[in-house]
Amino acid sequence: MSQNNYENDELIFLSEDKGSEVKVASGYWNILVVDDDEEIHSVTRLALSDLIVNDKGLKFIHAYSGAEALKIIGEMGSSIAIILLDVVMESDDSGLRVAKIMRSEMGLEEPRIILRTGQPGYAPEEQVIKDYDINDYKTKTELTRSKLVTTIIASLRSYQQILSINQSRLGLQKIIISAANLMEEHSVKNFCEGVVTQISSLLGLEAGGVVCARAGSVLEKDDDGVYILGAAGEFACHINLKLENIHNPQIVDFVNRCLAIKQHIFEHDFSVLYLNSSGYEAAVYLQMGKEISEINKQLLEVFLTSVSVGYENVNLFHQLRTAAFKDWLTKLPNRSEFINMLDELGDGKTAVHEVMVALVDISHFADINDGLGQDVGNSVLLSVANRLEETFKDKVRLGRIGSDVFGLIGPEFFVNPQTLQELFFAPFKAGEHSLHLGASFGLVRLTNRPQTGINILKHSNIALNEAKKNLNTNFEFYEPEMEEQTTWRLDMIRQLAIDFKARKLQLWYQPQVDLVTENVVGMEALLRWPTSSGGFISPDVFIPLAEYSGLIIDIGAWVLEESCRQLGVLATYGFDELRMAVNISMPQFRDPAFINVVKDVITREGIKPEKIELEITESIVMDEPQIVVEALHELKAFGVKVAIDDFGTGFSSMSYLQQLPLDRLKVDRSFVNEITPGKSAFIAETIVTLGNKLGLSTIAEGVEKREQASYMLKLGCDEAQGYLFAKPMPFDQLLAYLIEQRDL
């Protein structure tokens, strides 16, 4: 457009205010001048160069065609405050096309448009002004400086309001998205780090700051110090440490002040924001570099209100997770979390060269609880946990696996039998007590072969059980053979239970004879477990399994019942003077119903109590003597007889022996086997002599040779049983044998 089309352009300099005070701008409003006439650019720049609005001056960007204007708008976007747009340039509607593309296609709402034309006939329709959100339309002859300034100021106000509204809207969108992201976070550390990052994002800052809270429900610390829960930027290395570790007096002072006054603190180059929900308090320290605007303060208020709920949720989740995965007493990882830790190592991807897993079982811990009380027991566990933590610090991962069992994961250099044993050299403090403790250790060397955490724990537990059974040492390393043995034992117990329920177990009977007359005076009931191949599993194998599993209680009751029933059958054949010896194990004595079971069975089967003889071993007496002595005295009063089996093979105390209501001593077969021609069987002789002095009958086991029977008779032994007289036999054969012996 040529100059001739607007003769009065000089009018834009009219009405200038010569007396205004000079101001210094603190920033700039971007003004895009779009016109194909260079002189219009110059005149506009000269007219408005000294204008300051809201402490900001004007910065001019120039375009000389619609296409060039669109390119600049595409690059600068909403940072352009006002576009002074000529309508007619390379075409009659170039300016309108710029407005249409900017609004409709680019979606830019904030920049204000002032249309200018030197040809009034090209004025846009009213609908166009509405559709393209055009602030003003002026002919160039109308724009004196004062009118141009008025239009610019009005348009800048409009731009600022729209920008604030849109910033608020975008800020609220960010708040919703940020809060939603944070609500998905369940880790206190990650949540707090996210708070710093999201606030920094909202304010357009580099993420740098800390979230702090007092110890207690959040970190399970005993003190009331302020700890860093989460951090971003240069502070990230201080997470979970005390605030003082940050070595920045300003941060320490203002965070503590914020928590004390329970209010936000806004300073020029930093802010401390207060977070509170249902008593969960935190202070968010942010490095700003500039003062927060009022609109951003309002956005922060909205954001923090939303985030406070999330902060409460994450703390509650943290407490639930702590309850689920941490031991309530020692605050160490519990069994579930320890398995998770083992899962990480057993995934086959993590290098586990020379990594050891160990279980530490405190010896006789139940005695401490029973003798000194549970409070002392808890103090002992805390003392052990503290020593483990102090000894290994961050080198070994710890856990409490059971009531008195601790787990360790770490390099073999630290986790080995010698190091573990050294832990227990010094006594442990437990309140007023100083206790020396022993322990057993089960250890597993990890390999790179993938395996589950529960499997690793099983292996270490197998090793621990072997260590507890070992009389020579208190530790064992896991070997595959141990698991094979354990698997075999479990399979045997399972099959024993199945066969017992199916009534496949049998009772065989071995006659006992008077050594003088060699007449049968009784029988010993012997349990047999037949196999599918026609053989039998040795009682030495399955009786310990039955005792270990507790099956012996039900099996023992069945043996007693069957023995009494068969004794009743023998009575109908005239053998009513025979007695029946039945073996009793320690688990049966521990059963509260044991005494009543014995009485009820004998009474129900109509058997004279004195015809039933309960056989016990020395080891049973020494295991829990008080239980055994009391039970036998009550049964003795009921009328049953009591014999001690395998006498002389154990280490029984004579004081306990004298307390037992015994009727008979059984000389073990190992001592009978010592009887050879021309050689004295000293122990067998001693047992018989002791029995005679105590007024007890004696019976020799395992008599297989005539000279053994003669020798025992010569010593004064009363009875015998063994292959010389009769082998163990099923009941039908026993009945036939007894009838045959009677008819001789």
Side-chain angles (χ1 to χ4, degrees):
M1 186 179 294
S2 67
Q3 282 180 273
N4 297 330
N5 292 328
Y6 43 92
E7 296 176 353
N8 297 321
D9 280 345
E10 70 273 6
L11 292 175
I12 63 174
F13 295 102
L14 299 177
S15 306
E16 292 185 8
D17 184 3
K18 303 292 184 180
S20 60
E21 185 180 330
V22 177
K23 293 184 180 180
V24 178
S26 61
Y28 296 95
W29 302 104
N30 290 321
I31 309 296
L32 176 60
V33 181
V34 185
D35 202 297
D36 58 357
D37 189 332
E38 173 63 40
E39 190 172 347
I40 293 299
H41 289 268
S42 300
V43 169
T44 303
R45 187 169 56 249
L46 287 171
L48 300 174
S49 60
D50 61 346
L51 181 63
I52 295 177
V53 180
N54 291 343
D55 296 328
K56 289 184 179 182
L58 306 184
K59 181 178 181 180
F60 295 96
I61 303 99
H62 301 278
Y64 297 90
S65 68
E68 188 179 358
L70 287 172
K71 183 175 182 295
I72 293 172
I73 293 169
E75 292 171 352
M76 298 186 64
S78 297
S79 65
I80 300 173
I82 296 175
I83 303 173
L84 291 167
L85 183 59
D86 190 9
V87 177
V88 181
M89 289 178 286
E90 63 262 48
S91 64
D92 291 345
D93 63 347
S94 293
L96 296 180
R97 286 182 62 250
V98 169
K100 179 179 180 182
I101 292 171
M102 186 183 78
R103 297 297 193 210
S104 302
E105 297 181 20
M106 294 184 178
L108 289 173
E109 301 174 352
E110 293 89 350
R112 299 293 87 206
I113 299 174
I114 300 173
L115 286 180
R116 299 196 298 185
T117 181
Q119 303 178 34
Y122 287 94
E125 297 178 4
E126 182 181 338
Q127 191 61 41
V128 172
I129 293 176
K130 291 180 181 178
D131 290 344
Y132 302 146
D133 189 15
I134 294 169
N135 271 53
D136 208 348
Y137 171 75
K138 298 288 185 183
T139 61
K140 293 178 182 180
T141 55
E142 290 182 275
L143 290 176
T144 62
R145 182 182 187 278
S146 59
K147 289 183 178 180
L148 186 57
V149 168
T150 302
T151 299
I152 291 292
I153 292 174
S155 297
L156 283 176
R157 286 175 179 166
S158 177
Y159 168 75
Q160 199 170 11
Q161 290 170 352
I162 293 171
L163 193 64
S164 295
I165 292 169
N166 283 345
Q167 281 183 339
S168 297
R169 176 175 55 80
L170 292 173
L172 289 171
Q173 286 179 348
K174 277 190 174 182
I175 287 171
I176 293 168
I177 294 170
S178 299
N181 290 338
L182 287 171
M183 292 304 176
E184 294 175 2
E185 189 57 68
H186 287 156
S187 160
V188 171
K189 169 185 171 294
N190 292 344
F191 178 87
C192 292
E193 183 179 337
V195 168
V196 174
T197 304
Q198 298 289 6
I199 292 177
S200 300
S201 175
L202 287 175
L203 302 179
L205 306 169
E206 289 292 325
V210 293
V211 178
C212 305
R214 298 201 180 280
S217 62
V218 179
L219 290 175
E220 293 120 23
K221 302 284 186 182
D222 294 331
D223 60 86
D224 195 36
V226 176
Y227 285 79
I228 298 171
L229 304 184
E234 63 181 283
F235 308 110
C237 60
H238 298 287
I239 294 172
N240 288 341
L241 298 178
K242 272 192 172 182
L243 179 61
E244 289 76 9
N245 284 278
I246 213 162
H247 300 304
N248 186 318
Q250 176 178 282
I251 296 177
V252 174
D253 180 42
F254 278 91
V255 165
N256 279 309
R257 190 182 303 178
C258 174
L259 290 171
I261 66 175
K262 304 182 185 303
Q263 291 179 1
H264 304 317
I265 299 174
F266 294 106
E267 296 292 331
H268 179 71
D269 57 349
F270 70 89
S271 293
V272 189
L273 309 174
Y274 179 66
L275 206 61
N276 181 23
S277 180
S278 301
Y280 294 105
E281 293 181 298
V284 185
Y285 177 91
L286 292 170
Q287 290 179 318
M288 311 298 291
K290 60 182 180 181
E291 195 167 348
I292 301 179
S293 67
E294 286 302 318
I295 188 169
N296 279 336
K297 287 181 181 179
Q298 293 169 8
L299 288 173
L300 281 176
E301 288 287 354
V302 176
F303 179 75
L304 292 174
T305 301
S306 176
V307 166
S308 291
V309 178
Y311 183 58
E312 178 183 359
N313 290 341
V314 78
N315 275 291
L316 292 173
F317 183 86
H318 179 75
Q319 289 182 356
L320 289 173
R321 193 184 188 286
T322 297
F325 295 105
K326 276 201 175 182
D327 172 50
W328 65 273
L329 176 65
T330 63
K331 300 301 184 290
L332 293 175
N334 63 11
R335 185 178 186 275
S336 297
E337 182 65 2
F338 194 76
I339 291 172
N340 290 340
M341 291 153 56
L342 292 175
D343 276 329
E344 295 173 10
L345 291 173
D347 60 6
K349 301 173 184 176
T350 307
V352 292
H353 180 61
E354 294 184 346
V355 173
M356 189 79 75
V357 176
L359 293 185
V360 177
D361 187 315
I362 301 172
S363 303
H364 309 299
F365 179 73
D367 293 342
I368 296 174
N369 264 346
D370 295 342
L372 300 177
Q374 193 169 354
D375 288 343
V376 174
N378 287 342
S379 295
V380 167
L381 294 174
L382 281 171
S383 186
V384 172
N386 290 338
R387 185 172 296 179
L388 286 170
E389 290 184 297
E390 290 167 3
T391 301
F392 297 118
K393 299 192 179 341
D394 298 328
K395 302 177 185 72
V396 174
R397 302 171 75 182
L398 305 171
R400 184 183 174 203
I401 310 305
S403 62
D404 59 347
V405 179
F406 293 86
L408 295 85
I409 306 170
E412 189 170 349
F413 179 80
F414 298 107
V415 184
N416 58 70
Q418 181 179 351
T419 305
L420 296 177
Q421 287 172 341
E422 288 173 357
L423 284 168
F424 289 84
F425 284 169
F428 290 84
K429 288 287 185 182
E432 300 175 353
H433 304 275
S434 182
L435 303 173
H436 284 276
L437 301 177
S440 299
F441 315 113
L443 302 104
V444 178
R445 287 188 181 91
L446 293 188
T447 66
N448 286 320
R449 180 175 61 86
Q451 54 183 326
T452 62
I454 193 71
N455 204 46
I456 298 172
L457 185 61
K458 180 181 76 172
H459 290 169
S460 54
N461 199 57
I462 289 171
L464 177 62
N465 287 333
E466 291 298 319
K468 291 164 74 172
K469 290 187 287 186
N470 196 326
L471 299 178
N472 299 317
T473 183
N474 63 338
F475 67 89
E476 285 287 355
F477 288 89
Y478 169 78
E479 298 293 342
E481 295 78 14
M482 294 177 181
E483 186 171 8
E484 292 169 8
Q485 179 67 21
T486 301
T487 302
W488 171 85
R489 184 165 58 246
L490 292 174
D491 288 342
M492 290 287 286
I493 291 171
R494 189 181 304 112
Q495 191 59 49
L496 178 60
I498 292 172
D499 286 359
F500 173 63
K501 188 175 182 180
R503 296 193 171 274
K504 291 184 179 180
L505 269 62
Q506 301 174 4
L507 270 187
W508 286 32
Y509 304 89
Q510 185 171 31
Q512 298 172 328
V513 301
D514 184 301
L515 269 176
V516 176
T517 64
E518 295 192 359
N519 291 331
V520 177
V521 293
M523 299 78 59
E524 181 180 4
L526 301 170
L527 191 60
R528 293 291 183 265
W529 183 12
T531 66
S532 56
S533 61
F536 292 91
I537 297 172
S538 169
D540 292 339
V541 172
F542 74 83
I543 292 296
L545 295 178
E547 292 179 348
Y548 173 80
S549 65
L551 279 171
I552 196 66
I553 294 175
D554 291 335
I555 292 175
W558 172 79
V559 168
L560 183 63
E561 185 175 355
E562 188 70 3
S563 298
C564 289
R565 188 181 69 80
Q566 300 287 32
L567 198 59
V569 172
L570 291 178
T572 62
Y573 284 89
F575 302 106
D576 52 353
E577 294 304 316
L578 298 179
R579 67 171 186 267
M580 182 72 75
V582 178
N583 291 281
I584 304 298
S585 67
M586 192 63 226
Q588 289 174 273
F589 278 106
R590 293 194 188 103
D591 179 19
F594 170 66
I595 295 173
N596 288 334
V597 167
V598 174
K599 291 179 178 180
D600 290 346
V601 168
I602 291 174
T603 303
R604 186 169 62 250
E605 296 297 332
I607 302 299
K608 295 177 181 178
E610 61 268 22
K611 297 303 178 184
I612 295 297
E613 186 171 86
L614 303 181
E615 288 192 5
I616 61 171
T617 61
E618 284 185 89
S619 59
I620 287 179
V621 178
M622 293 306 298
D623 195 1
E624 295 186 48
Q626 197 59 39
I627 293 177
V628 175
V629 169
E630 290 177 1
L632 289 180
H633 272 289
E634 186 170 344
L635 290 171
K636 178 72 173 177
F638 179 68
V640 301
K641 303 294 184 181
V642 179
I644 189 163
D645 197 6
D646 301 334
F647 186 75
T649 60
F651 302 93
S652 58
S653 165
M654 287 301 296
S655 62
Y656 285 126
L657 194 64
Q658 288 180 305
Q659 292 180 41
L660 290 171
L662 296 177
D663 295 283
R664 201 178 318 277
L665 296 181
K666 296 190 78 172
V667 182
D668 186 69
R669 66 179 64 248
S670 61
F671 305 135
V672 174
N673 286 338
E674 292 177 358
I675 300 172
T676 55
K679 185 178 178 182
S680 173
F682 174 74
I683 297 180
E685 181 179 349
T686 301
I687 293 172
V688 173
T689 301
L690 177 63
N692 291 334
K693 289 187 177 297
L694 293 175
L696 304 176
S697 299
T698 53
I699 180 170
E701 287 187 299
V703 178
E704 298 180 357
K705 299 174 183 178
R706 176 53 62 181
E707 56 264 30
Q708 292 173 339
S710 300
Y711 187 87
M712 294 305 297
L713 178 61
K714 183 179 178 181
L715 291 177
C717 185
D718 301 300
E719 299 171 355
Q721 68 183 84
Y723 283 10
L724 176 64
F725 306 107
K727 296 180 179 180
M729 60 192 77
F731 181 75
D732 291 344
Q733 292 181 24
L734 173 68
L735 182 58
Y737 172 81
L738 291 174
I739 292 173
E740 181 182 349
Q741 291 295 310
R742 185 175 60 184
D743 293 343
L744 288 177

